[in-house]
Amino acid sequence: MAPSKIKNFFLRKKAEAKLKLGVAGPGRKLNSDAPPPPSSKASSSKQKDAYVPPKRNELSAEAKAAANAALARFEGKDKKEFNTSLAAIRAQVRKELEAEKKAKDGGGPTEQEGSAEDGTAQEARKDYAVQGVFFRCPMIGDEILPYKEWKGRIKEFLYEQLAADRGLTACLIIYNCNPKDRAEVCIETLSKCIENIINNPTEEKYKKIRMTNRMFCDKIKVCEGSLDFLHAAGFAEIELDGEPHLIWSEDNIDPECSLEVLLEALKAAEPIPVELDRNLQVLLPSQVKRSNLPPDFFRISPEEIKREQQLRTEALEQAQILKTKAMREKEELRTINRYKFSLIRVRFPNGVYLQGTFNVYEKFGQVCEFVQSCLMHESADFALVSPGGLKYDDPDDLDRSLYDLRLVPTVVFNFCYENESKSLTDFLKEELMLLIQSF
């Protein structure tokens, strides 16, 4: 019988632990020098030789996943008739660029510069630059969902697995279905209970737990999954002297487990990983909305955001003074610390925008890899240039986070080919260009 998803999870964790200790056989240790990430700014022939582009007509894994997710989001929507041929898209882009230039030359506002008006929650949502932050959870399924929905799905998935792998699943329920501080206290207490039995097999006092005991009630019983773990470890509920007790017996341990295995699993338990979905979008100039971000991007609640903005406005009105460099940096940090995610946009010379969502602590190199995976010519040299004309071509920038580079909460880069690639006139892959939709 094939191992269950729960067992596979712990097998992977065990393998990762061995790799960290350098006992997994030949290969690179995690603490050794890692090979440099793919760079769009490969200046030496050595770097170029190391790059192996995918087959011409295939999307990279990340771009394919993002494209499938984008198509899935559009399913079920009422779509207007829209000519998605590449020629029609290019004509539409040219038309919008001409209209944008005409509006700027005439001093009139462009569509993106229109003022945001207060309205209903639905109207406000339409004004968002992106509809939310989405995640994937490969261990459970292929859906693209908000984090809160995944939390519910993860809990539902774990309880479905209890019957098949009660002990191992209970470890994950404790860690994933309770507040972190409560789960850590529970795990520490349960670990001591099991260690006492393993280290003192003849001591009867360690094999009995009074369920009305304050320590048991405050540290173990309050956690989901804790009783399932104890039952899998060999404890059974029995009434003694009018009070409920848990009594341990080796005969009650789940057949496929042992105390040592359960103890190891309890200490190795981690949150079931969810991966940030790039929420890749390819947009016409008219579809690029103002940088009004949804609440998912913030560390703080919408009410706290409004209150902070009001206080800052009042402070600016009351103190019309020249700010020192230190004051400006402090205010800048206070602003970017409000965000968990950053919306990255790349404007191509043909007017099309590529948009993706990143965690603020992801490296700038990951942005370059994302853009590179979407290019028709993936091996071409390119640069991303900030609106102020700053070109991020320093190799050290690749290892710096978006937070460190102050690329939070939104930034629009201008794309340009570099070196021998300057003559290229094609940009995004045709498969991605066809993601442009009418909204």
Side-chain angles (χ1 to χ4, degrees), residues 176 240 348:
N176 287 271
L240 295 176
F348 291 87

Side-chain angles (χ1 to χ4, degrees), residues 151-190:
K151 291 295 288 183
R153 291 289 296 275
I154 288 171
K155 183 174 181 177
E156 180 182 331
F157 165 78
L158 289 175
Y159 275 97
E160 288 173 352
Q161 306 301 311
L162 265 178
D165 295 297
R166 184 167 57 164
L168 300 181
T169 304
C171 295
L172 293 179
I173 290 177
I174 293 171
Y175 209 104
N176 287 271
C177 302
N178 297 286
K180 185 178 179 181
D181 55 346
R182 185 184 299 173
E184 289 176 347
V185 171
C186 179
I187 289 171
E188 182 182 357
T189 309
L190 287 174

Side-chain angles (χ1 to χ4, degrees), residues 293 297-299 335-342 360 408-409:
L293 297 172
F297 272 73
F298 293 85
R299 297 182 188 277
T335 299
I336 67 174
N337 282 336
R338 293 159 47 192
Y339 298 92
K340 294 185 290 185
F341 303 98
S342 184
V360 296
V408 179

Side-chain angles (χ1 to χ4, degrees), residues 220-237:
I220 296 178
K221 191 177 179 180
V222 292
C223 269
E224 290 189 51
S226 59
L227 291 179
D228 290 297
F229 175 84
L230 288 170
H231 291 154
F235 284 90
E237 293 186 34

Side-chain angles (χ1 to χ4, degrees), residues 298 300-315 331 333-339:
F298 293 85
I300 58 180
S301 67
E303 293 75 19
E304 290 173 311
I305 294 170
K306 290 179 181 178
R307 185 162 59 251
E308 184 177 310
Q309 290 174 336
Q310 183 179 358
L311 292 172
R312 187 166 51 190
T313 302
E314 292 174 356
E331 183 174 328
L333 279 175
R334 187 167 60 247
T335 299
I336 67 174
N337 282 336
R338 293 159 47 192
Y339 298 92

